[in-house]
Amino acid sequence: MIKIAPSVLSADFSKLGEEVKEAEKAGADLIHIDVMDGHFVPNITIGPLIVESIRKVSNLTLDVHLMIEEPDKFIEDFARAGADIISIHLEVSAHSHRSISYIKEQGVKVGISLNPATPLSSLDFILSEVDMVLLMSVNPGFGGQKFIPQVMDKIKILKGIIQNKGYNIDIEVDGGVNVNNAGDIKKAGADILVMGNAFFHSKNYAEVVRKVREQSG
């Protein structure tokens, strides 16, 4: 069954705890937390204190996506704050294997994220070391963008690689996911769908979850 990860970047931060609880009540599987530093992406968002606050109100898997330069400096802080999965971008990790090992040392799962134009071949020598690959389906930095259609083939190819090698790795897709394209993204091979505006800007969170699951079989 497809897993749904609402992105708190699109939530109402004046009542963030309530928003997270409502997402959990609606049937969300993970809470996706986008961390941006204003350098790797043109936006600044949140830090470990917000992750710690969310951890206090939810037992869901906290999926922390580090869209930051020099992620190794902050991995321990986010793990201590309550992250269950920490994803770093391959584009900013000069020593990705070392970074992956460092995340594992914190006792959390490892995700590697690729921007839309980053080739899958960049995963050749580290794929076996990760728990999840996060494929960006928009250029990271802002919510509300449209899904880049070329990423659909990227999902299919990556799914084939994972199956051929017999790896137990989830594919997460982030960017422009909504109730209209969720089924096609799932069919392409996605295991986890990150939903921002399509979830938190809807009138009924449970209805979004129901429609996505219905479309995704």
Side-chain angles (χ1 to χ4, degrees):
M1 183 172 68
I2 194 71
K3 293 180 180 179
I4 299 170
S7 172
V8 295
L9 182 64
S10 298
D12 182 347
F13 270 68
S14 69
K15 52 178 184 177
L16 183 58
E18 294 174 39
E19 290 274 65
V20 170
K21 288 179 181 178
E22 287 299 315
E24 185 169 355
K25 184 179 177 182
D29 302 285
L30 306 88
I31 297 297
H32 188 81
I33 303 169
D34 288 310
V35 178
M36 306 181 188
D37 63 358
H39 296 284
F40 177 57
V41 292
N43 199 358
I44 298 173
T45 55
I46 62 178
L49 287 177
I50 298 296
V51 175
E52 187 176 347
S53 297
I54 294 173
R55 178 79 290 163
K56 291 176 181 178
V57 300
S58 178
N59 291 319
L60 290 182
T61 297
L62 298 189
D63 172 25
V64 176
H65 178 194
L66 300 183
M67 288 181 270
I68 62 177
E69 293 181 356
E70 299 184 285
D72 289 9
K73 292 183 177 180
F74 303 96
I75 285 169
E76 187 175 350
D77 292 335
F78 281 103
R80 192 183 302 117
D84 296 294
I85 306 170
I86 295 178
S87 296
I88 60 173
H89 270 263
L90 199 58
E91 296 87 0
V92 296
S93 183
H95 306 284
S96 55
H97 192 276
R98 183 171 66 193
S99 298
I100 289 168
S101 298
Y102 188 35
I103 294 172
K104 288 181 178 180
E105 289 172 8
Q106 310 310 311
V108 300
K109 291 187 175 181
V110 183
I112 284 288
S113 184
L114 303 182
N115 284 337
T118 303
L120 292 174
S121 59
S122 60
L123 296 171
D124 283 353
F125 300 104
I126 58 169
L127 186 59
S128 63
E129 301 297 317
V130 305
D131 301 291
M132 182 178 79
V133 177
L134 195 174
L135 294 180
M136 294 301 302
S137 42
V138 298
N139 291 297
F142 298 96
Q145 300 182 66
K146 291 184 179 180
F147 184 93
I148 296 173
Q150 291 89 338
V151 176
M152 203 69 83
D153 285 337
K154 196 174 186 180
I155 300 167
K156 294 175 183 176
I157 294 168
L158 177 58
K159 189 68 170 184
I161 293 170
I162 290 171
Q163 289 177 335
N164 288 339
K165 291 185 176 293
Y167 294 152
N168 182 25
I169 298 172
D170 285 330
I171 298 175
E172 182 174 60
V173 178
D174 181 3
V177 179
N178 55 53
V179 294
N180 297 317
N181 61 17
D184 290 336
I185 298 170
K186 165 64 168 61
K187 289 174 184 174
D191 302 290
I192 304 169
L193 303 178
V194 176
M195 301 184 73
N197 288 0
F199 187 93
F200 282 113
H201 291 188
S202 70
K203 294 181 180 179
N204 188 321
Y205 299 166
E207 185 68 6
V208 172
V209 171
R210 185 192 67 79
K211 287 182 178 179
V212 169
R213 299 214 193 284
E214 189 178 78
Q215 282 200 24
S216 303

